Amino acid sequence: MEKYLYIALFAPLLGSIIAALFSMRPKMLFTGIITSALLAVSMIASLNLLHYVYTTDAIVHLKLMDWIVIGNLNIPFGFVVDQVSVTMMVVVTIVSTMVHIHSIGYMDHDKSFNRFFAWLSAFVFSMMILVMSDNFAGLFIGWEGVGLCSWGLIGFWYHVADREKSSDVYKSPYSTLSPFSSISPSFAANEAFITNRVADLGMLVGIFLIYWNIGSLQYDDVFAQIGTLETSLVVAIAIFLFIGAMGKSAQFPFNQWLANAMEGPTPVSALIHAATMVTAGVYLVIRANEIFTVVPAVGYFIACLGALVAIGAASMALVATNIKKIIAFSTLSQLGYMFVAAGLGAYWVALFHLATHAFFKSVLFLGAGNVMHATNNEINIKNMGGLHKHMKATSIIMTVASVALAGIFPLSGFFSKDLILEAAFGTHAYILWLILWITAGLTAFYSFRLVMYVFHGEENFKKFGYHPHETYPFVIAAMTPLAILAVVAGFFKSSYIEMITKKLPELDIHVSSGTFWVLVIVTLGIALFGIAFAVFKFRKDETYFSEKIKEKSFYKLLANQYYMPHIIENVILKPYLALSKFSWKNIDLKIVDTIVDGVAKVIYKSGEGSRVIQTGNLSSSLRLMIFGITVLLVLSVALGIAK
């Protein structure tokens, strides 16, 4: 099985290198085809490993080479394929393969076609390093790799000018206080990168604490000894690791970058939201479950924060009009669901929802890309409408994905989301259950609000002169497997539970049969109500909110993302800029530069003064030599007398 491990891991890297060799040349269809083919090879290898792990209960553990060996520190470059990592490998490679194929059509006319696929395959390779590593150091390398690749992909269209430019005066990209205003791709990429670097500092501290107290970063060693440490120390480790997860998975207060990351090409959004970047934080908590299990209080905090993010993001999606940001807010909300499950100890449930979510969310983003291409890159859903008869395949696929997102039986979202609600109720976290239950209704509503605005109602796009059309057949073909998985993935629940609970702990949930069916019915009921209300409200493109309601404070609160951009600008960005300017003018220029320049001037002046003795005259040199010897003799005598 080792050969399959090598293939699954390094096939994306090979594709990235091949595409990078031609990155500065005009579009070569070959780069898109070869990278997609190599991703398909990686997917097949991952599926083979899944079959092997499922049927044999064996774990593939491979040490590639020694990596860092300094004193007692010995960190190998090793990989492990177990029930957790192989689940992630399959999800990542399936979604990535279809995204690569879709991208061939989406980026068809882009002049940087080759460069795009070099970044995209490198993104997948970094994620594979992250999920397959057998130690925290290797995980961190992949962690930073996806951060770097996301920066390159979010800012892929870096040549697009900033909305506001100034070389001296600070102008905030959030100055309009609107979540729908455009910012430059460069700003979005830098925001995502810097935000994650801040959070990653916390993760690094957690990793340092692990090594300092255990002496190893290997998962097996760490998890075997974590229970021997003081509780306060384990709390610190868990908190610092979770700070890193908060950044990657865009949990509050690191959530702002996720919606702005929509400035990148749409296939990038599909990959970030479904299979790579944002799922890494959830994976970290799941992988380090034995650390978080020791400190259930930290786990409960994670669950509470997840519930807050779930309902907060869902409420923001209610009023958003940017098609990609609606789906981005949805991702943020569903990540909250996953963290609730993980925080309550239902780690396998969190991983199950991560997998099902990857399938229907990737379809939604890829479908949004089709819609944008068909309408000259229009992003406002109110400027669309009636696209179903022009884009029937995309309409059907996105509708199916929306039903899955809403959690309607028998689609996959129903099974995974229902398990999370059951876990919340069964662990007596009734407030969290109520929040998630309300969020389920909001999710169904905003999902079909998008479907109705885009594909049904009045053809608002006509006033803008758009001539919508369906995308290439092979693009639809790439979306179809993901849509099918969004439908049927839930039926693999029993097999999945049988496999994953051999690695992850089962949560002891106390829910009677009668209570279970009541929970299922009320959850399904609120989701169906949300869908029905959206369809009824928008079947004729009726006004969603009247002008009077738009003046209400609650609408403004949601439209401005709870004023988080405003808070970030005034509490963090502007004070930090003022502190930086003060430090530059008063510390760097007046103190640091004065000291450095003063030392240089003293040395220069002393050298200039000493230059007069370099006359080249032998008599002068002898006199100076005798003078120096005399001074040394006097000093020697003086020191001798002093002793």
Side-chain angles (χ1 to χ4, degrees):
M1 287 291 114
E2 291 183 0
K3 65 179 180 181
Y4 290 114
L5 188 154
Y6 283 122
I7 293 171
L9 177 61
F10 290 112
L13 176 62
L14 179 60
S16 177
I17 293 172
I18 293 173
L21 292 175
F22 304 99
S23 61
M24 301 305 293
R25 301 184 64 177
K27 174 195 169 183
M28 299 175 64
L29 186 61
F30 163 79
T31 57
I33 295 174
I34 192 65
T35 52
S36 301
L38 287 168
L39 255 296
V41 169
S42 179
M43 176 185 68
I44 294 169
S46 298
L47 289 169
N48 270 286
L49 289 166
L50 174 64
H51 179 264
Y52 175 76
V53 171
Y54 177 74
T55 56
T56 66
D57 295 334
I59 294 175
V60 182
H61 202 161
L62 172 67
K63 177 182 175 181
L64 188 62
M65 61 181 178
D66 288 324
W67 179 26
I68 302 175
V69 181
I70 305 173
N72 295 327
L73 176 62
N74 188 343
I75 302 176
F77 206 58
F79 302 96
V80 62
V81 178
D82 58 13
Q83 289 82 354
V84 175
S85 60
V86 79
T87 301
M88 287 295 297
M89 289 166 62
V90 169
V91 171
V92 170
T93 53
I94 289 176
V95 173
S96 300
T97 300
M98 302 310 156
V99 169
H100 271 69
I101 297 172
H102 181 280
S103 299
I104 296 174
Y106 188 88
M107 303 297 290
D108 185 34
H109 302 295
D110 197 285
K111 64 180 181 179
S112 298
F113 182 89
N114 303 334
R115 178 169 62 89
F116 178 80
F117 281 94
W119 275 115
L120 203 65
S121 289
F123 201 11
V124 180
F125 170 68
S126 298
M127 190 64 185
M128 294 294 278
I129 288 282
L130 190 156
V131 302
M132 295 174 68
S133 177
D134 67 352
N135 62 79
F136 283 100
L139 179 146
F140 190 73
I141 294 298
W143 192 272
E144 294 304 295
V146 296
L148 174 64
C149 293
S150 68
W151 173 80
L153 288 166
I154 294 169
F156 183 78
W157 289 321
Y158 60 87
H159 54 278
V160 177
D162 291 340
R163 188 166 55 87
E164 297 184 46
K165 284 189 175 181
S166 175
S167 59
D168 183 41
V169 180
Y170 171 75
K171 291 184 179 180
S172 169
Y174 307 123
S175 58
T176 61
L177 271 189
S178 170
F180 319 126
S181 60
S182 177
I183 62 174
S184 75
S186 292
F187 178 89
N190 290 336
E191 181 185 40
F193 189 80
I194 295 169
T195 300
N196 276 277
R197 297 296 74 71
V198 173
D200 290 353
L201 178 61
M203 182 179 176
L204 268 178
V205 172
I207 292 174
F208 288 150
L209 287 175
I210 289 172
Y211 177 73
W212 188 264
N213 292 277
I214 294 179
S216 174
L217 293 178
Q218 295 296 116
Y219 293 148
D220 293 341
D221 296 337
V222 173
F223 299 152
Q225 299 181 50
I226 195 69
T228 64
L229 302 181
E230 293 183 6
T231 303
S232 58
L233 182 58
V234 181
V235 168
I237 292 172
I239 289 174
F240 281 118
L241 289 179
F242 181 61
I243 289 174
M246 289 166 66
K248 272 290 183 288
S249 295
Q251 296 298 284
F252 180 82
F254 300 105
N255 58 295
Q256 188 60 39
W257 70 265
L258 188 61
N260 290 336
M262 298 302 98
E263 296 298 325
T266 305
V268 174
S269 301
L271 206 52
I272 288 176
H273 287 249
T276 54
M277 186 84 165
V278 299
T279 61
V282 179
Y283 174 77
L284 173 62
V285 175
I286 295 170
R287 173 55 76 184
N289 68 89
E290 296 188 48
I291 295 177
F292 291 95
T293 301
V294 176
V295 283
V298 176
Y300 190 72
F301 168 77
I302 293 173
C304 292
L305 182 64
L308 174 67
V309 171
I311 194 168
S315 62
M316 289 188 288
L318 296 176
V319 300
T321 57
N322 182 320
I323 186 171
K324 290 175 69 176
K325 286 193 175 182
I326 293 172
I327 305 172
F329 289 140
S330 172
T331 298
L332 193 56
S333 180
Q334 297 306 306
L335 287 168
Y337 270 91
M338 297 174 207
F339 277 114
V340 170
L344 295 176
Y347 300 102
W348 64 272
V349 176
L351 186 59
F352 187 44
H353 191 54
L354 185 156
T356 60
H357 172 264
F359 301 134
F360 54 73
K361 188 53 59 68
S362 58
V363 168
L364 288 171
F365 268 114
L366 297 179
N370 294 352
V371 170
M372 290 170 60
H373 259 201
T375 56
N376 294 353
N377 289 322
E378 178 62 64
I379 58 174
N380 191 331
I381 59 175
K382 293 185 178 181
N383 296 336
M384 300 175 187
L387 290 176
H388 175 75
K389 66 181 181 180
H390 303 280
M391 307 177 67
K392 289 184 179 179
T394 297
S395 174
I396 292 170
I397 289 175
M398 286 192 70
T399 302
V400 169
S402 297
V403 174
L405 173 60
I408 303 301
F409 181 84
L411 278 69
S412 61
F414 166 80
F415 294 94
S416 57
K417 191 177 292 186
D418 183 69
L419 283 171
I420 296 174
L421 288 161
E422 182 185 348
F425 196 91
T427 54
H428 310 296
Y430 300 121
I431 295 178
L432 298 183
W433 177 86
L434 180 61
I435 292 173
L436 296 182
W437 180 74
I438 295 172
T439 303
L442 298 179
T443 301
F445 179 77
Y446 70 66
S447 299
F448 274 81
R449 170 183 174 249
L450 184 150
V451 170
M452 298 302 293
Y453 257 128
V454 173
F455 296 109
H456 304 282
E458 298 295 327
E459 295 183 341
N460 298 316
F461 61 84
K462 288 184 175 179
K463 68 180 73 170
F464 301 99
Y466 302 150
H467 301 284
H469 54 83
E470 189 59 274
T471 185
Y472 302 113
F474 74 87
V475 171
I476 297 298
M479 297 170 62
T480 303
L482 296 173
I484 293 173
L485 285 169
V487 174
V488 306
F491 294 110
F492 294 98
K493 184 178 77 170
S494 299
S495 300
Y496 166 78
I497 294 174
E498 178 187 348
M499 178 188 76
I500 203 67
T501 50
K502 293 172 183 176
K503 184 65 179 179
L504 297 177
E506 288 191 72
L507 182 65
D508 188 16
I509 302 175
H510 301 286
V511 177
S512 65
S513 177
T515 303
F516 168 78
W517 286 109
V518 170
L519 294 176
V520 170
I521 291 170
V522 297
T523 303
L524 193 58
I526 195 171
L528 290 171
F529 174 78
I531 293 174
F533 186 63
V535 172
F536 171 78
K537 191 69 177 174
F538 302 112
R539 70 190 188 283
K540 295 182 179 179
D541 195 29
E542 295 183 13
T543 302
Y544 179 38
F545 283 122
S546 67
E547 293 303 318
K548 289 184 178 180
I549 293 180
K550 289 182 179 180
E551 295 299 319
K552 300 294 183 181
S553 57
F554 93 94
Y555 179 89
K556 293 181 178 180
L557 186 68
L558 299 181
N560 291 297
Q561 299 181 49
Y562 294 95
Y563 294 96
M564 280 303 299
H566 182 73
I567 294 171
I568 290 172
E569 176 187 350
N570 290 281
V571 177
I572 299 177
L573 298 183
K574 285 185 176 179
Y576 183 77
L577 180 65
L579 177 62
S580 299
K581 287 184 175 180
F582 174 83
S583 300
W584 170 56
K585 292 180 179 178
N586 297 283
I587 298 177
D588 193 36
L589 294 180
K590 293 182 180 179
I591 298 177
V592 176
D593 283 3
T594 299
I595 293 173
V596 173
D597 293 344
V599 171
K601 287 179 180 178
V602 168
I603 294 174
Y604 180 80
K605 290 295 184 182
S606 63
E608 192 176 45
S610 302
R611 193 181 303 157
V612 297
I613 68 176
Q614 299 293 333
T615 62
N617 186 288
L618 182 59
S619 298
S620 299
S621 297
L622 288 172
R623 284 195 295 270
L624 288 170
M625 188 184 299
I626 292 170
F627 174 76
I629 292 171
T630 303
V631 171
L632 289 174
L633 289 172
V634 170
L635 289 174
S636 298
V637 172
L639 289 173
I641 294 172
K643 289 181 178 180

